[in-house]
């Protein structure tokens, strides 16, 4: 679900992880959501309402029926929201939701909320495993409430186990990348490494940032994403199905194996054209023993997928150019028969390797001309998705 432009009501209950809700709020805002906060009285003992009022730039609903509060906040807040996320959700609040009591703002909003509801339970691991907590979670799930399982790890109480509040980034990803996956994107990301000996290899400067932006854009729009990944600095969300590879040969095998599952294939990885004819099993001792590195041609993964292309499958190629960009890109598009070619010039001084922006342009067989624009890798990803749609 794309949370950009969505109205999110964030419910906070009395747990030690309440302070992490501040970061979650900021992440949701950064992803384009408008956030308002509702808290239990207990939660306000952990983090003051002033903090959340300042972060959300809106009054926090924390008291029912005070002389100066608006009388129908318990209806108004949920009615305003598209999504209600209770994070962290205490064992007590879970029980209130499952029973249906509304004795304070968070559970009142839970009763009054008609839209999508999410809970993120967080507590000591013995409490989390307690039969009552598990029963309450099952009850909520059976009503269609979405539950983000807690993480396993070192808990604030000093014990290890299940019950830890997940990283706020993971919570935002779980919400943003939820939804039925009816179409599949197969994408290659990162760079290949071609082994010379156990300590040396041939590679390139690709960071995987463009591929990661594309993967996120498709996930956010309800696609299943299979990512065949070489080495990269960028990180991918857990919702991607990741197939790790090293060399061009192994990337070729993995992409061809996954090809039948894909509606769209994006060749975003920077694949080495050549690799050493033989990789030495031991470290090559000094330069005198190797005067010339003998190379062999690597498989052309783009060409191979075009050969196996299924009806209605779309194949997108990238062309990284440092000179004569448009001419070279047009040639590559014509020779490859790709459906779309994205030309990018990461050495032009406008963004590039491991940066958030790059200079790029889109070519199709019907539109062989393009002017390069300098924009974020996210903008490149959303233009690509629009073109595919
Ligand atoms: C220091 C401290 C930490 C707590 N941490 C948690 C917690 O992580 N999860 C939880 O379910 N309860 C925790 N509790 C207990 C809740 O605060 C308590 O059950 C409270 O009634 C929850 O109320 P609420 O759901 O209305 O916010 C903690 C209590 C204290 C004193």
């Amino acid at each position: 679900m794309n949370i950009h432009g969505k109205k999110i009501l964030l419910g906070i209950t009395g747990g030690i992880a309440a302070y992490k809700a501040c970061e979650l709020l900021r992440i949701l805002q950064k992803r384009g959501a408008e956030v308002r906060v509702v808290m239990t009285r207990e939660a306000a003992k952990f983090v003051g309402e002033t903090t959340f009022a300042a972060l959300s730039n809106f009054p926090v609903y924390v008291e029912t029926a005070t002389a100066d509060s608006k009388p129908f906040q318990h209806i108004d807040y949920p009615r305003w929201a598209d999504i209600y996320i209770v994070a962290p959700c205490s064992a007590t609040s879970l029980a209130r939701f499952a029973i249906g009591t509304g004795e304070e703002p968070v559970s009142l909003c839970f009763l009054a909320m008609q839209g999508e509801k999410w809970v993120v339970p967080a507590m000591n691991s013995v409490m989390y495993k307690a039969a009552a907590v598990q029963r309450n979670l099952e009850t909520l799930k059976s009503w269609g409430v979405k539950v983000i399982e807690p993480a396993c790890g070192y808990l604030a109480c000093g014990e290890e186990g299940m019950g830890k509040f997940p990283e706020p980034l993971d919570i935002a990803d779980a919400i943003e990348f939820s939804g039925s996956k009816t179409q599949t994107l197969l994408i290659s990301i990162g760079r290949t490494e071609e082994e010379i000996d156990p300590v040396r290899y041939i590679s390139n400067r690709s960071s995987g940032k463009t591929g990661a932006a594309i993967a996120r854009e498709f996930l956010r729009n309800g696609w299943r994403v299979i990512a065949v990944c070489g080495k990269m600095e960028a990180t991918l969300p857990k919702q991607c199905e990741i197939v790790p590879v090293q060399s061009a040969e192994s990337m070729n095998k993995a992409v061809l194996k996954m090809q039948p599952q894909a509606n769209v294939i994006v060749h975003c990885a920077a694949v080495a054209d050549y690799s050493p004819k033989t990789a030495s099993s031991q470290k090559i001792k000094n330069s005198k023993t190797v005067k010339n590195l003998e190379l062999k041609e690597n498989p052309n993964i783009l060409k191979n997928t075009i050969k196996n292309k299924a009806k209605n499958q779309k194949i997108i190629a990238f062309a990284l150019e440092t000179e004569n960009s448009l001419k070279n890109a047009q040639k590559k598009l014509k020779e490859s028969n790709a459906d779309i070619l994205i030309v990018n010039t990461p050495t032009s001084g406008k963004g590039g390797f491991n940066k958030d922006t790059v200079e790029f342009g889109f070519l199709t067989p019907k539109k062989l001309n393009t002017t390069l624009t300098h924009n974020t890798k996210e903008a490149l990803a959303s233009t690509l998705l629009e073109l595919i749609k």
Side-chain angles (χ1 to χ4, degrees), residues 198-252:
V199 290
R200 305 178 182 98
Y201 56 82
I202 300 171
S203 194
N204 60 70
R205 296 183 203 282
S206 174
S207 68
K209 275 199 170 181
T210 303
I214 295 171
R216 296 178 78 85
E217 180 68 12
F218 277 69
L219 278 173
R220 175 180 302 128
N221 284 279
W223 286 60
R224 174 184 171 216
V225 176
I226 305 171
V228 176
C229 299
K231 266 279 165 62
M232 57 199 243
E233 280 72 36
T235 51
L236 288 174
K238 291 183 180 128
Q239 290 72 17
C240 277
E241 295 165 42
I242 297 173
V243 184
V245 295
Q246 190 182 3
S247 63
E249 191 68 55
S250 57
M251 184 170 275
N252 183 55

Side-chain angles (χ1 to χ4, degrees), residues 293-366:
L293 195 58
E294 264 203 279
L295 299 174
K296 66 173 191 301
E297 214 171 317
N298 281 335
N300 185 327
I301 309 177
L302 171 62
K303 216 171 168 178
N304 292 342
T305 51
I306 300 257
K307 231 187 275 165
N308 294 341
K309 187 177 168 183
K311 211 176 154 220
N312 297 330
Q313 198 169 51
K314 297 277 174 255
I315 297 188
I316 288 85
F318 269 77
L320 188 159
E321 302 296 341
T322 58
E323 57 179 349
N324 301 324
S325 315
L326 189 59
K327 226 172 113 195
N328 291 341
Q330 286 168 340
K331 188 166 174 270
K332 183 167 178 176
L333 180 62
K334 278 184 198 156
E335 283 174 3
S336 68
N337 274 323
D339 296 290
I340 300 171
L341 186 133
I342 303 168
V343 55
N344 62 116
T345 58
T347 60
S348 66
K350 293 173 181 166
F353 297 122
N354 212 9
K355 303 255 167 50
D356 294 331
T357 62
V358 70
E359 196 182 40
F360 62 87
F362 283 76
L363 282 82
T364 64
K366 283 188 187 154

Side-chain angles (χ1 to χ4, degrees), residues 13-16 40 42-43 46 90-93 96 122-123 127:
T13 71
I16 199 73
T40 64
E42 290 301 312
F46 289 84
S90 71
T92 305
S93 285
R96 287 191 193 115
M123 63 201 71
M127 285 171 69

Side-chain angles (χ1 to χ4, degrees), residues 56-213:
S56 64
N57 199 22
F58 204 82
V60 172
Y61 172 34
V62 67
E63 285 290 339
T64 50
T66 59
D68 56 352
S69 68
K70 285 197 182 139
F72 291 106
Q73 276 171 310
H74 64 293
I75 309 282
D76 294 342
Y77 275 60
R79 194 162 287 169
W80 164 86
D82 300 306
I83 313 164
Y84 185 22
I85 308 168
V86 182
C89 183
S90 71
T92 305
S93 285
L94 263 185
R96 287 191 193 115
F97 301 160
I99 294 168
T101 61
E103 66 214 31
E104 48 64 52
V106 172
S107 51
L108 268 173
C109 287
F110 200 86
L111 283 172
M113 178 70 187
Q114 284 185 308
E116 202 168 304
K117 288 185 263 199
W118 291 74
V119 295
V120 188
M123 63 201 71
N124 166 277
S125 53
V126 178
M127 285 171 69
Y128 180 68
K129 283 183 205 143
V133 168
Q134 289 304 316
R135 182 205 55 199
N136 291 339
L137 282 170
E138 286 314 312
T139 302
L140 295 186
K141 281 183 198 167
S142 73
W143 295 339
V145 175
K146 308 239 169 61
V147 176
I148 298 180
E149 303 293 339
C152 197
Y154 183 63
L155 302 163
C157 55
E159 293 173 16
E160 286 274 333
M162 186 85 171
K164 195 177 158 64
F165 191 69
E167 287 306 316
L169 208 66
D170 291 339
I171 296 173
D173 280 356
I175 295 163
E176 191 160 29
F177 303 145
S178 62
S180 54
K181 312 264 181 267
T182 50
Q183 300 200 80
T184 300
L185 166 73
L186 170 62
I187 182 168
S188 70
I189 310 183
R191 55 186 180 267
T192 57
E193 287 179 353
E194 311 300 331
E195 203 168 297
I196 298 171
D197 67 18
V199 290
R200 305 178 182 98
Y201 56 82
I202 300 171
S203 194
N204 60 70
R205 296 183 203 282
S206 174
S207 68
K209 275 199 170 181
T210 303

Side-chain angles (χ1 to χ4, degrees), residues 37-53:
V37 174
V38 51
M39 298 175 82
T40 64
R41 270 170 236 113
E42 290 301 312
K45 291 181 190 166
F46 289 84
V47 183
E49 65 176 286
T50 313
T51 301
F52 289 107

